[in-house]
Every structure is written in structure tokens, then in C-alpha cells.
Amino acid sequence: MDKPIVICKDVWKIYQQGEVKVEALRGVDLDIFQGEFVSLAGASGSGKTTLLNMIGGLDSVSSGYVEVDGDDLSGMNKNGLADLRLSKIGFVFQAYNLIPVLTAYENVEFIMQLQGVPAERRRELSHEILGRVGIADMGERKPAELSGGQQQRVAVARALVSNPSIILADEPTANLDSKTSESLLELMAELNQESQTTFIVATHDPQVIEFTKRKILISDGKVAQDC
Amino acid sequence: MSAQQLNQNSQSRFGRSMSLILPLAWRNLWRNKRRSLLTMLAIFVAVMSMVVLGAFMRAWSSATIVETINNLTGHGQIHALQYLDDPNIDYRIKAIPGSIANHLNSAEVTHRADRVRVPAMIRSERENSPVELLGIQPAQEKGLSFISEAIIDGRYLESNADKGIILGKKLADRLQTKLGRRVVLMSQHQDGSISERGYRVVGIFTSQPGIEKFNVFISIQSAQALLGIGSDISEVTFKLQSREQIAGFVQRLRNENSELDIQAWDELQPFTKAMIEMSDGSILIWILVSFTVVSFGLINTLLMAVFERMREFGLFQALGMKTRWLLLQILFESTFMMAVATAAGLIAGILIVIAFEGGLDLGVGASYFGAAQVVYPELDWSEVSYIGVLVMFLGVLASLYPAIKAARNVPVDVLSRATN
């Protein structure tokens, strides 16, 4: 097997809440490979979102080592992490987090604009990806004019359009009904198959856990099970 | 695309990022229309009032200076030493020295008149009143002082030897006299005795209340004869081509002769000068007060806009937007707000000033303060530009605080807190 695209070695994250130290992650060791579709499962407060944030460079580790697609995150400053997220990581959030003043097309184009992709190419790719997630005819609508499922499809399209190495999804189906959730999961699985993009999904939704090929259970800040 | 490649392409990305940030900032501005419009309204009113108030205060200052100059002061005056401290017959000018006369005859001087000016008593058949007696050269006063154009009844003095007297309307009313009647002037003769002489009222004038009540005009030769001073005078009043020449001209005269008291209008009328300086200062205070109020409104609006969008800023950073672009986006929002409101305020202010260019009557009350009754506001384009640039600059400066707060304090994990 190739070198892992994500490497976590003895990752600790300790939050200081007043005088109390909260150990959110307690020595996580984990390797994830290119093209995997992985779920980070666990109860609320288990540390799965914290781990996702560490991998995404949204938060820094207290100790340990995190490497993403060959980049050691601990040696990166704020701008370096921003560049890493821009070039290698796509995010899908529970609350969709689309930019309310932009249309679906513009939301999808947003990252490409940050990357400096020319306008024509942006429009071409955004049409293509919105077609791929099944909402090409809603490209001119703003988020408030879309349903929850449609907004999450736009979010997936936004995460995918710049062809990242990894997509990190945090409870992507939490606000969706089961039918829409299934449809979204099928879409993500298809995209995973087609592009070999690595999907890491933090969830406690059994439907999602069941859907993923590799299931990592996080409990009390540690990897309790990996199968 | 690697991080290194991204850095190499940063320059070419600048233009593209601006094309992302500018429309985003513009749209964000209108997310809460009412709040943005209220803030813009405050900026609009402040800018408009700065332009209008500036133009009116300047017009008022200018008109007050003109009024002061026309009310007998001229651009400057020459007296005998001590006359201004004790304006009596003893302190008079016997002859203008040649060097001073040369300057007074130069092209810089457009008007010049000699006067006799002493305290006197005037008496009608019914009343009497203390007055200031002015013996004037009627022809030389034209264009120099108001008196030739202020006659509302009767006539102006016709020559340097005219035997008539001109009274202010208020004084005539007080003396219960009128055109054609005789009045008696009494003043101290140069020999120390009291000299008195009768004059027929040939003209009634109107002016500022103080002048109307206390100034009477006779010809210069009548005055000299009454006081027994030959061809001596109390003062020389002069007017130059422009006010900008006054200080230099007065200084040259002073350099020529230290035996005479030579003063510019603003030294002769310190109260007026102080009033004008106060009005100039009040414009500055108004600008500062207006802008302080606007700044708080702007900062408050932007802080509200920033705090309610912390999650969104976290998203931008999560998606890879760098801190400087976030900072710029918020600064552009305030710049747009400032630019639209400032432009509207400047245009409205300019239109208001243009509408009143024909003159604004401040009412008779203004003349009690030595000010002009009618002011003619004029646009000073450099002042308009200055206000525009200053407000824009200070506005953007004021918005730095919320922008930096947003850029520095937004935790990128704000997005995930609700879902852990």
C-alpha cells in the first residue's frame, strides 16, 4: 500500500477550561490512505470533531504529530495552514456553511477564486460539478432559496471542485432526513470511487457509519476500534 | 497545487482575489439594509452639514469683514500717537510725512480719505445726545465707506465745504428732528474752549444700530473750522486692492515712520477679529463633533456586522482565505459605506450652497453683532475636497478596529463548536 495521506502519531489535545484541563484527544495514532472512505464514529464529546479539526489544520495539537499529504502541520504558520486548506482539503459542515450573499455557482467558485483560477474555467467547473451533484438548474439560487439537502449538495460540490486530496465532513447528514442523507452518501461514495478523493466523515449517525468502508470508533479521545 | 506554487502565483492571484472580495464586500453591505442605511444617513447628514456650515460660516466671516471695512474702518488707518487711547482734538495729524504720502499715492491704494473724528454733543430744539463727529471728504468716501450709499432721505454731502449735516435715522428719531431742521454741534476747540455751530440736516442715513445712533457726518472743512484746527486731521483711512496686501503694506508704513500710529483693520476691530476666529474654530469643532458621532456609529455598525458573522469569517478561513483578505473585505465594506454616503453628502451640501448663492438674509439681529445681515455662501472646492478626503480617511481608520478584531479574534474552530 502507498504512503498514508494522513498520519497521526500520538496526538494529544488538551483544552484548559478555567482551572480544569480537558483531554479531548489522548494519544491518537492513525493512518489513512488515498481513496479511503472513512468514518470517525463516536458519541458526542468523544473527540471525533477535534480530531477532524487537527487533520484539517483548523486547530493545533497540544503534542504529537499530524501529517497531511506529505505536509507536517505542526511546522506551519497561520498562512501556511490556510494555503494547505485551500489546496489540499475540502470541508463539508453539518450546518452547510454556504456564503449567504453568493449564489450556488458563486459558492462553488469561491475556493477557485481564492486559488486564482480564471473566470471561464471556474464557471465551466462549477457548472460541471453542480450537474454532477444533481442541482445544475439551481445554480443561480442563493442558499436561502435552497432546501437543506440542496445546500449540502452545494457544500459537497464546493469541497470537491478544486480537486482536493482529502474531504473532511463533519456530521454532513445531521440536518437531513434519512432519504436525503442516503442520497448524499451515495453521491459522496460515487465521487470517492471516481476521483479517488479520500473522505473522512465525523459522525454518530449509524446510517453513515454503515455506509463507510472503514470505521474508526473514537472513545474518550482515543481510537477504540478501527475496522 | 502545492503551497509553494500558491505563493509563486500570489501576485497573479491579487487581481482575482480583489474581484472576489470587492463584490462580496458590496453585497455584505446590503445584508442588513436598514442598519447600513441608517449609518449612511448619519454620515450623509454629517458631511452635508460640514459642507453647508463651512460655506455659510466662511460667507458670514467674509461678509462681516467687508461690513467692518466698509463701516469707516477701511483696510487700515493712520492716527497720531495716543489718539486711539484718547480720541480728542489734541492728538491730531498736522501733515502726512512725504514718505507715507508716497505709499498712500501708490497703485496698491485704491481709496484714501482724510477725516476729522472727535467726540461731540449734538442738540436739537428738543433733545441732545453724545455723538462721534466725523468731518469727511465726501468724494473720497465713495467706495471706501458705506456713508455715500446709506442715505435714505435727503442728500449726501456735496463737497469738502458743504455746510449741512447727515444724521442716522435712529439719532434723528431720538433728537426728534428731521430733514431741513437745524441742530447744534458742540465740541472742544483746539484752544480748550467749547465750540458750537449750527447745521441744517441735509440727509438721513441708515446703517448698523451703533453707527446710526452715534455717528454724525459733516464736511471736513466744516469740522476743521468748528474745531479751529486749520487743515489738521484726526485720521487717514485707506483701502488696498486686496485684503492680502494689508499686512505687508501696514508694515512698510510702520517702517517708514514711527511717529504715527498705523494699524490694520483687524487691530482696529479686535472684537470682530476675535468673533471671526471663533467662528472658524467652531467649524473645526463642528467637524470634529460630527465625525466623532459618525465614527461611533460606524464602529458600532461594523462591530455588529462583524460579530454576527464570526461564524462566516471562520468559514472563510477554513476554506483557505488568508487573514489579510478578511481584513480587506471588512475595510472595503466600510469604504463602500463611507464612499456612497460621503459622495451623497457632498453633492447635497453643494446643491444647498448653490441654492443660497443669491444670498441668505440673517435678519436685522445679525447687524447688532457687527455682522452682515445678508451672507452669500460660496463653495470652496478645496474645502469640499478636504472634507471628502478627511471623512473617508477617518472612516476607514475607524473601521480598522472592528476589521482587526474580526481578522485576529476569529477562531477557526468556531465552525465546529456547535457540532462536537
Side-chain angles (χ1 to χ4, degrees):
Chain A
M1 196 172 268
D2 294 338
K3 190 187 174 193
I5 197 161
V6 175
I7 301 170
C8 297
K9 281 185 187 166
D10 194 24
V11 173
W12 285 74
K13 181 65 184 178
I14 301 168
Y15 294 108
Q16 190 80 37
Q17 290 183 341
E19 292 181 1
V20 181
K21 282 185 177 176
V22 179
E23 294 175 337
L25 294 177
R26 300 192 298 161
V28 172
D29 287 304
L30 185 65
D31 288 344
I32 295 172
F33 294 89
Q34 174 80 44
E36 280 196 299
F37 197 145
V38 182
S39 61
L40 297 177
S44 290
S46 59
K48 58 187 186 299
T49 297
T50 306
L51 180 58
L52 207 66
N53 289 342
M54 302 296 142
I55 296 169
L58 293 174
D59 207 348
S60 57
V61 296
S62 301
S63 69
Y65 175 83
V66 178
E67 182 184 303
V68 174
D69 201 11
D71 289 321
D72 173 6
L73 269 55
S74 60
M76 288 187 172
N77 61 18
K78 212 174 170 183
N79 279 338
L81 288 171
D83 277 340
L84 175 90
R85 290 193 295 270
L86 182 60
S87 59
K88 293 186 175 177
I89 302 172
F91 288 93
V92 179
F93 303 98
Q94 175 184 338
Y96 324 133
N97 283 331
L98 299 178
I99 301 163
V101 293
L102 302 182
T103 64
Y105 277 133
E106 290 167 336
N107 264 285
V108 172
E109 286 184 29
F110 184 82
I111 290 174
M112 291 190 284
Q113 271 188 286
L114 288 177
Q115 288 178 333
V117 177
E120 272 184 34
R121 179 74 182 140
R122 287 202 309 263
R123 187 40 61 115
E124 187 186 318
L125 286 172
S126 62
H127 272 81
E128 188 184 313
I129 196 73
L130 280 183
R132 187 72 193 84
V133 300
I135 52 169
D137 54 338
M138 295 173 187
E140 298 299 342
R141 293 191 191 179
K142 288 191 174 165
E145 297 161 341
L146 297 170
S147 70
Q150 289 163 345
Q151 286 188 57
Q152 199 60 299
R153 281 169 183 267
V154 176
V156 171
R158 179 179 65 187
L160 274 169
V161 75
S162 58
N163 198 23
S165 310
I166 308 165
I167 289 183
L168 303 176
D170 188 10
E171 306 278 10
T173 59
N175 291 339
L176 305 177
D177 59 54
S178 60
K179 194 177 171 188
T180 313
S181 294
E182 191 175 342
S183 161
L184 181 74
L185 287 167
E186 282 169 0
L187 171 69
M188 288 164 75
E190 269 179 49
L191 297 168
N192 168 248
Q193 287 288 322
E194 281 175 17
S195 60
Q196 284 298 296
T197 303
T198 307
F199 277 73
I200 305 173
V201 184
T203 185
H204 58 257
D205 182 350
Q207 188 186 6
V208 179
I209 298 167
E210 189 58 36
F211 206 89
T212 55
K213 292 174 190 166
R214 182 178 169 193
K215 301 163 182 62
I216 300 168
L217 178 64
I218 308 290
S219 178
D220 295 330
K222 288 180 175 176
V223 176
Q225 196 179 341
D226 187 350
C227 56
Chain B
M1 198 180 289
S2 72
Q4 195 180 2
Q5 281 173 311
L6 278 168
N7 281 333
Q8 284 169 349
N9 290 338
S10 63
Q11 279 193 326
S12 63
R13 276 196 281 124
F14 178 80
R16 292 182 187 131
S17 296
M18 291 302 277
S19 71
L20 166 71
I21 286 170
L22 288 174
L24 203 59
W26 178 253
R27 288 188 206 180
N28 277 323
L29 183 61
W30 302 111
R31 274 166 83 166
N32 193 327
K33 281 184 189 154
R34 187 186 297 176
R35 188 172 61 200
S36 293
L37 284 172
L38 279 173
T39 307
M40 289 162 83
L41 183 67
I43 299 165
F44 167 81
V45 171
V47 170
M48 183 181 67
S49 70
M50 286 178 206
V51 173
V52 172
L53 196 78
F56 273 84
M57 293 298 260
R58 218 165 356 84
W60 181 82
S61 296
S62 180
T64 302
I65 292 170
V66 169
E67 189 88 351
T68 302
I69 288 166
N70 286 343
N71 284 342
L72 303 170
T73 308
H75 283 160
Q77 294 184 342
I78 303 170
H79 299 95
L81 293 174
Q82 293 184 282
Y83 172 85
L84 289 173
D85 295 330
D86 182 11
N88 73 46
I89 191 65
D90 296 333
Y91 305 117
R92 57 188 192 271
I93 302 169
K94 294 188 183 301
I96 295 292
S99 56
I100 299 287
N102 286 342
H103 283 290
L104 290 173
N105 291 330
S106 70
E108 267 179 295
V109 179
T110 58
H111 299 84
R112 171 250 171 110
D114 298 346
R115 293 177 188 149
V116 171
R117 194 169 187 167
V118 290
M121 283 291 293
I122 190 166
R123 196 176 68 226
S124 69
E125 63 268 37
R126 294 177 186 272
E127 293 289 341
N128 56 61
S129 176
V131 292
E132 184 175 59
L133 166 64
L134 281 121
I136 60 172
Q137 298 170 302
Q140 274 69 26
E141 292 291 339
K142 288 180 181 174
L144 176 63
S145 71
F146 74 99
I147 188 62
S148 64
E149 294 173 351
I151 307 297
I152 55 167
D153 200 6
R155 65 170 175 83
Y156 181 51
L157 298 175
E158 290 170 344
S159 71
N160 289 353
D162 196 306
K163 302 290 184 193
I165 186 168
I166 298 173
L167 307 180
K169 185 170 185 314
K170 287 188 191 302
L171 180 62
D173 291 344
R174 183 174 173 181
L175 295 172
Q176 298 178 43
T177 189
K178 59 183 181 182
L179 206 65
R181 296 271 178 87
R182 287 183 70 82
V183 291
V184 175
L185 277 175
M186 287 190 298
S187 189
Q188 185 188 325
H189 193 271
Q190 60 86 21
D191 63 9
S193 64
I194 294 295
S195 176
E196 65 174 51
R197 190 170 287 189
Y199 299 87
R200 190 170 302 282
V201 179
V202 296
I204 304 288
F205 72 89
T206 185
S207 179
Q208 285 182 8
I211 292 176
E212 237 185 84
K213 279 181 191 167
F214 297 110
N215 285 80
V216 300
F217 296 85
I218 61 175
S219 66
I220 190 165
Q221 288 177 13
S222 287
Q224 287 164 335
L226 172 69
L227 304 172
I229 56 173
S231 60
D232 295 356
I233 55 172
S234 304
E235 70 186 26
V236 177
T237 302
F238 56 85
K239 205 168 171 182
L240 307 178
Q241 287 169 335
S242 76
R243 291 210 297 266
E244 286 68 38
Q245 297 172 314
I246 298 172
F249 185 79
V250 166
Q251 192 54 50
R252 285 201 295 280
L253 292 187
R254 283 175 180 161
N255 292 343
E256 292 288 352
N257 191 305
S258 59
E259 300 297 311
L260 292 170
D261 189 3
I262 301 155
Q263 298 207 9
W265 74 269
D266 53 350
E267 295 166 312
L268 294 160
Q269 302 287 348
F271 177 70
T272 304
K273 187 189 176 192
M275 217 163 51
I276 288 164
E277 283 174 352
M278 195 178 73
S279 91
D280 290 345
S282 67
I283 295 174
L284 187 65
I285 290 168
W286 174 248
I287 287 175
L288 288 176
V289 168
S290 298
F291 198 79
T292 304
V293 172
V294 167
S295 297
F296 281 118
L298 186 70
I299 291 171
N300 188 44
T301 300
L302 286 171
L303 275 179
M304 279 196 288
V306 161
F307 281 126
E308 74 183 16
R309 282 160 51 207
M310 278 297 186
R311 190 179 177 81
E312 195 173 301
F313 295 139
L315 169 70
F316 288 156
Q317 291 190 316
L319 295 180
M321 184 184 267
K322 288 181 182 168
T323 307
R324 62 174 178 270
W325 294 113
L326 199 59
L327 191 88
L328 272 179
Q329 190 196 319
I330 298 165
L331 284 180
F332 278 133
E333 279 182 41
S334 66
T335 304
F336 283 144
M337 201 178 330
M338 296 297 300
V340 171
T342 303
L346 289 176
I347 291 168
I350 289 166
L351 290 177
I352 290 172
V353 173
I354 288 172
F356 284 101
E357 268 184 347
L360 177 69
D361 194 338
L362 298 177
V364 183
S367 58
Y368 281 91
F369 299 98
Q373 188 173 331
V374 180
V375 296
Y376 300 89
E378 267 183 39
L379 283 169
D380 178 346
W381 291 105
S382 64
E383 186 179 271
V384 171
S385 317
Y386 172 73
I387 290 171
V389 171
L390 182 77
V391 168
M392 283 297 297
F393 173 73
L394 292 178
V396 173
L397 201 66
S399 63
L400 267 177
Y401 169 65
I404 289 171
K405 198 164 179 59
R408 277 195 182 160
N409 292 348
V410 174
V412 284
D413 62 347
V414 69
L415 290 161
S416 57
R417 280 184 184 162
T419 59
N420 195 19

